[in-house]
Amino acid sequence: MEAHARTTPEGALSDLKVLELGSMLAGPFVGSMLADFGARVIKVEKPGKPDALREWPPHKDGAALWWKTMARNKHAVTLDISRPEARELALRLIGESDIVIENFRPGTLERWGFDPAELSQRFPRIVWVRVSGWGQTGPNREQGGYATIAEAFSGLASFTGHADKGPTVSAFPMGDYLAGIFGAFGALAAIHRRERSGRGQVVDVALYEPLLRIIESVVVRYDQTGRKKPLLGNQMEEDVPRNVYATADGGAIAISCGSQSIYDGLVDAMQRPDLKSDPRFATMADRVIHRDAIDGEVAAWLKTQPTASALERLVANKVVAGKINDIADVLGDAHIAAREAIRTLVDETLGPMRMPAPVPKLSETPGDIRWSGRDPGASNDEVFGDGLGLSAAEIEDLRRNHII
């Protein structure tokens, strides 16, 4: 594993200045998305009480590994914006920003004297991205919110799981990351509008709303038919057979037969022409009715096949299939390497480190990882001194009084 320097053109968002407030995942992932494509993101943490993500495992030699990727490409400063003594410094940072990101509980910024509605008079061009559990309005706005609760509230969890075991939620904070992506999209949409109107606006994202957005078919189905989507485990109602199947050597393969031609290829790979002529499986509608029967046939066949040879036969017959990779498989995969989906950089404390590359790929101004997440206040001198013009003595005074 050799780390290498990358020479890339100026980032697509290199003209944008972003101030990131808040902590953990959803708001900071907005900043990560923007920073990957060149935006100058200043990450603010409270002195003596840094972002709680630094406390989350895993750690190596005392370094928070999740932090290394979430805070990559960001300038780390410390500033206690809740204190009146920090107000003018915070306002100077806000005033120099195109986008301000926050994910505090609604009302917190207002309580500290940074109400976006009021500050829009002084800083009319700023785009405010406000990510919260429940949004800035509504009866639940003041409740705490996490990604797990968002999956439950959005309706997504009601049909992910098995009928005999009940609903399940993701094993990682999917809602936070989706909210971050939608927040970044909203920020850029608002910046695009600003080019014509000259004014910024507030981008309001509740954690559950991106999840609700992506289950659109479930919403319109219930609205128009009164039918709810059932718990089917790894299966889908509309796409049969579709499941994760165990193989003979302890592996597993995912298959999705979304069209007749893919189904025909599957039964050819299985060398089961009888499954083509069986009227129970003649069309997708027929297979939906007899899902357990056809799913059982596929499962029984794959249980007798080694993973590699089964996958080779499936791909040769144009079946949409893929081996269930663990993360070691992903990091060693030739396609991942060819796409440069994993990048290696040199962390200042841990040395060579691999992490996911920026997404999506831009042909002219691709995203890049310039550095990994830094220590609290690592950029204080750069941001407050070089950026805002404070003297070394002024910075030291702020530090001594725990304002930075």
Side-chain angles (χ1 to χ4, degrees), residues 49-345:
K49 191 178 180 182
D51 194 317
L53 187 60
R54 293 183 183 271
E55 302 173 2
W56 276 32
H59 290 80
K60 179 184 177 183
D61 299 335
L65 300 182
W66 202 334
W67 175 261
K68 291 292 185 181
T69 183
M70 178 61 76
R72 71 193 195 188
N73 296 328
K74 299 178 184 179
H75 300 270
V77 305
T78 49
L79 180 66
D80 189 352
I81 65 173
S82 68
R83 292 177 59 179
E85 302 95 314
R87 178 174 175 78
E88 287 307 314
L89 199 55
L91 287 173
R92 290 180 66 182
L93 290 174
I94 290 171
E96 292 201 350
S97 303
D98 296 289
I99 300 168
V100 177
I101 304 164
E102 66 98 359
N103 66 329
F104 300 113
R105 192 171 299 197
T108 301
L109 273 191
E110 288 81 354
R111 189 171 68 252
W112 291 340
F114 299 105
D115 184 344
E118 295 179 0
L119 291 179
S120 67
Q121 304 303 312
R122 181 173 175 179
F123 306 116
R125 291 179 56 81
I126 291 178
V127 170
W128 296 79
V129 180
R130 313 194 72 179
V131 185
S132 60
W134 304 91
Q136 300 298 312
T137 58
N140 296 349
R141 67 184 292 269
E142 295 183 1
Q143 294 182 24
Y146 283 122
T148 302
I149 311 309
E151 285 193 45
F153 183 78
S154 69
L156 176 64
S158 72
F159 57 86
T160 53
H162 294 80
D164 59 339
K165 297 179 181 178
T168 61
V169 294
S170 303
F172 79 111
M174 179 172 64
D176 285 310
Y177 281 92
L178 271 178
I181 295 168
F182 275 71
F185 170 78
L188 295 181
I191 288 291
H192 181 71
R193 173 61 181 171
R194 189 183 73 174
E195 295 306 304
R196 288 169 288 163
S197 69
R199 294 191 61 83
Q201 56 185 296
V202 172
V203 178
D204 179 2
V205 183
L207 288 184
Y208 70 88
E209 288 173 337
L211 298 164
L212 181 59
R213 176 65 180 86
I214 66 172
I215 62 169
E216 57 186 10
S217 66
V218 180
V219 173
V220 296
R221 164 188 172 153
Y222 181 75
D223 176 67
Q224 294 297 305
T225 70
R227 293 171 55 212
K228 299 178 182 178
K229 191 172 180 65
L231 289 164
L232 292 171
N234 291 318
Q235 298 187 49
M236 282 180 61
E237 288 176 278
E238 310 85 356
D239 177 0
V240 179
R242 188 260 201 186
N243 212 331
V244 174
Y245 303 94
T247 52
D249 53 4
I253 291 177
I255 293 175
S256 181
C257 290
S259 70
Q260 187 64 39
S261 63
I262 296 173
Y263 174 75
D264 290 343
L266 172 61
V267 296
D268 288 343
M270 296 169 62
Q271 298 180 330
R272 290 288 304 277
D274 57 302
L275 298 179
K276 273 188 184 179
S277 58
D278 192 319
R280 295 176 299 167
F281 313 134
T283 68
M284 183 67 80
D286 296 320
R287 293 191 291 277
V288 166
I289 295 171
H290 302 286
R291 68 170 56 250
D292 290 341
I294 186 58
D295 196 64
E297 295 283 0
V298 178
W301 173 70
L302 277 167
K303 194 63 178 174
T304 68
Q305 304 296 311
T307 305
S309 60
L311 190 60
E312 184 177 355
R313 287 174 62 177
L314 290 166
V315 171
N317 283 278
K318 296 182 170 55
V319 180
V320 180
K323 181 173 74 74
I324 301 297
N325 286 335
D326 63 22
I327 200 62
D329 296 325
V330 170
L331 293 181
D333 188 85
H335 185 80
I336 295 287
R339 292 280 296 170
E340 297 188 303
I342 296 291
R343 296 276 177 83
T344 300
L345 68 155

Side-chain angles (χ1 to χ4, degrees), residues 371-387:
W371 61 81
S372 55
R374 294 171 169 174
D375 292 338
S379 305
N380 279 358
D381 290 345
E382 174 191 354
V383 171
F384 297 130
D386 300 340

